[in-house]
């Protein structure tokens, strides 16, 4: 397999977003809580990633502080984000880890009542870098089956997050996903033809993402997050025909001060008057129609 270091080059295709919008804006809420590393889930060590305890150690036992930091996301943070988006009737895509969705039927029902897309975030919120191919393939199949049972429909979007070298190929081979989001390589969707079939890629982002609050090189104050969101939006809006993805987590952006920054940005986008705020599946379907494989 080779790398594509050229992409669209100097002339990205015209996006033709609906109603003449200059930019497509896509909010993701990652729902991972309960599916992270834990001895309760049969893992050898506790979770050490993406929490307020930056640089936390993984322990061969329960880590009670870490568990409670994750629990905040499902108990409180998710609902704060749910309120601010539903109050503004804003479309959202959820990257839902199947095992996490299974633990909270009330949250799943709220996502569905709001007509949010629930895409698959894999079976477990763990690192697949060194997971054997046959195990990862089985996890993808189990994730689809569990997701279907919990939500009533199979997922059409995929985002593993902590991928292996095999993930993209396994997803393409599975054949049922309209899009794969496991890429950060562009500001618009593109077709990947490396794995035997044309797979639409709707890239995600790690910079316009609340994870930067819990990273050593990240944001420390909500005003920094809002400014970064606003400036990204305005630059892409000026260029025209681009897509902006915003990544959120209940246990991170669901904290009160950070949620206030999200509200300020969401209101800024709405006030602009020329942004198409869409679910990720809607962007995928639009691209498939305007730029078919």
């Amino acid at each position: 397999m080779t790398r594509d270091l050229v992409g669209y080059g100097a002339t990205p295709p015209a996006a033709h977003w609906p109603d003449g919008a200059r930019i497509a804006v896509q909010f993701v809420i990652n729902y991972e809580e309960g599916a992270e590393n834990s001895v309760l889930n049969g893992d050898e060590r506790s979770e050490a990633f993406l929490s307020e305890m930056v640089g936390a150690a993984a322990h061969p036992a329960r880590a009670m502080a870490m568990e409670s930091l994750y629990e905040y996301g499902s108990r409180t943070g998710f609902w704060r984000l749910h309120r601010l988006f539903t109050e503004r009737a804003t479309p959202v895509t959820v990257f839902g880890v199947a095992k996490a969705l299974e633990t909270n039927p009330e949250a799943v029902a709220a996502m569905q009542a709001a007509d949010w897309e629930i895409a698959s975030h894999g079976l477990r919120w763990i690192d697949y870098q060194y997971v054997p191919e046959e195990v990862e393939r089985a996890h993808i199949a189990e994730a689809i089956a569990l997701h279907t049972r919990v939500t009533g429909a199979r997922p059409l979007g995929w985002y593993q997050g902590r991928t292996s070298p095999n993930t993209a190929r396994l997803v393409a081979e599975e054949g049922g996903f309209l899009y794969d989001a496991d890429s950060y390589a562009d500001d618009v969707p593109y077709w990947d033809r490396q794995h035997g079939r044309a797979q639409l890629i709707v890239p995600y982002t790690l910079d316009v993402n609340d994870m930067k609050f819990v990273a050593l090189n990240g944001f420390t104050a909500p005003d920094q997050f809002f400014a970064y969101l606003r400036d990204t939006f305005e630059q892409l809006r000026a260029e025209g025909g681009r897509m902006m993805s915003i990544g959120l987590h209940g246990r991170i952006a669901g904290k009160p001060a950070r949620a206030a920054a999200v509200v300020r940005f969401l209101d800024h986008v709405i006030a602009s008057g020329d942004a198409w705020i869409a679910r990720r599946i809607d962007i995928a379907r639009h691209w498939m129609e305007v730029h078919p494989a």
Side-chain angles (χ1 to χ4, degrees):
M1 185 178 71
T2 60
R3 296 173 63 192
D4 181 0
L5 297 171
V6 177
Y8 293 124
T11 55
H16 299 298
W17 300 130
D19 300 320
R22 288 195 55 81
I23 181 173
V25 177
Q26 207 290 293
F27 291 92
V28 168
I29 295 177
N30 292 270
Y31 196 90
E32 301 155 349
E33 289 79 10
E36 75 275 13
N37 283 288
S38 169
V39 296
L40 296 178
N41 293 331
D43 302 306
E44 294 182 358
R45 292 182 177 275
S46 61
E47 187 57 73
F49 188 52
L50 282 191
S51 85
E52 302 293 335
M53 297 190 298
V54 179
H59 301 291
R62 293 184 67 184
M64 306 310 291
M66 182 64 73
E67 287 184 17
S68 67
L69 286 169
Y70 266 75
E71 288 160 9
Y72 185 95
S74 58
R75 292 165 55 106
T76 303
F78 167 80
W79 295 107
R80 180 170 289 117
L81 294 177
H82 181 269
R83 285 191 296 272
L84 72 87
F85 282 108
T86 55
E87 286 169 358
R88 292 160 178 79
T90 304
V92 168
T93 288
V94 175
F95 284 165
V97 179
K99 287 290 189 181
L101 295 174
E102 183 183 34
T103 68
N104 198 337
E106 185 178 354
V108 172
M111 298 169 194
Q112 293 177 317
D115 196 27
W116 291 357
E117 175 197 7
I118 309 177
S120 180
H121 198 358
L123 179 67
R124 294 284 316 284
W125 176 230
I126 59 176
D127 189 351
Y128 281 86
Q129 179 68 37
Y130 301 110
V131 171
E133 178 178 338
E134 63 274 13
V135 174
E136 185 175 8
R137 181 184 287 107
H139 278 205
I140 291 172
E142 187 178 349
I144 295 169
L146 180 55
H147 187 110
T148 302
R149 179 169 64 79
V150 170
T151 70
R154 75 150 285 156
L156 298 178
W158 174 268
Y159 178 70
Q160 182 86 277
R162 292 193 265 181
T163 56
S164 81
N166 302 309
T167 306
R169 175 172 53 80
L170 293 174
V171 169
E173 289 175 356
E174 194 281 328
F177 291 102
L178 292 190
Y179 72 86
D180 180 354
D182 273 320
S183 171
Y184 315 101
D186 218 309
D187 292 318
V188 289
Y190 62 91
W191 292 95
D192 181 6
R193 296 175 172 83
Q194 298 185 79
H195 306 296
R197 63 181 288 267
Q199 175 67 63
L200 183 64
I201 308 298
V202 181
Y204 189 46
T205 179
L206 296 184
D207 67 312
V208 191
N209 193 308
D210 66 2
M211 69 176 289
K212 300 290 284 184
F213 277 112
V214 293
L216 292 173
N217 65 335
F219 309 120
T220 58
D223 285 349
Q224 295 172 323
F225 189 40
F226 169 73
Y228 196 89
L229 291 168
R230 179 200 60 209
D231 291 352
T232 300
F233 173 78
E234 293 299 341
Q235 177 63 33
L236 294 175
R237 179 187 179 195
E239 293 175 10
R242 305 294 193 267
M243 177 185 75
M244 178 180 178
S245 295
I246 301 97
L248 307 172
H249 302 72
R251 65 186 179 279
I252 304 175
K255 296 288 186 177
R258 297 169 186 159
V262 175
V263 170
R264 287 177 62 196
F265 175 67
L266 179 53
D267 289 344
H268 178 82
V269 171
I270 293 171
S272 76
D274 57 5
W276 178 41
I277 307 177
R279 303 174 305 175
R280 188 163 286 257
I281 191 68
D282 301 321
I283 293 173
R285 286 175 171 144
H286 173 86
W287 202 264
M288 296 173 81
E289 179 179 348
V290 176
H291 298 288

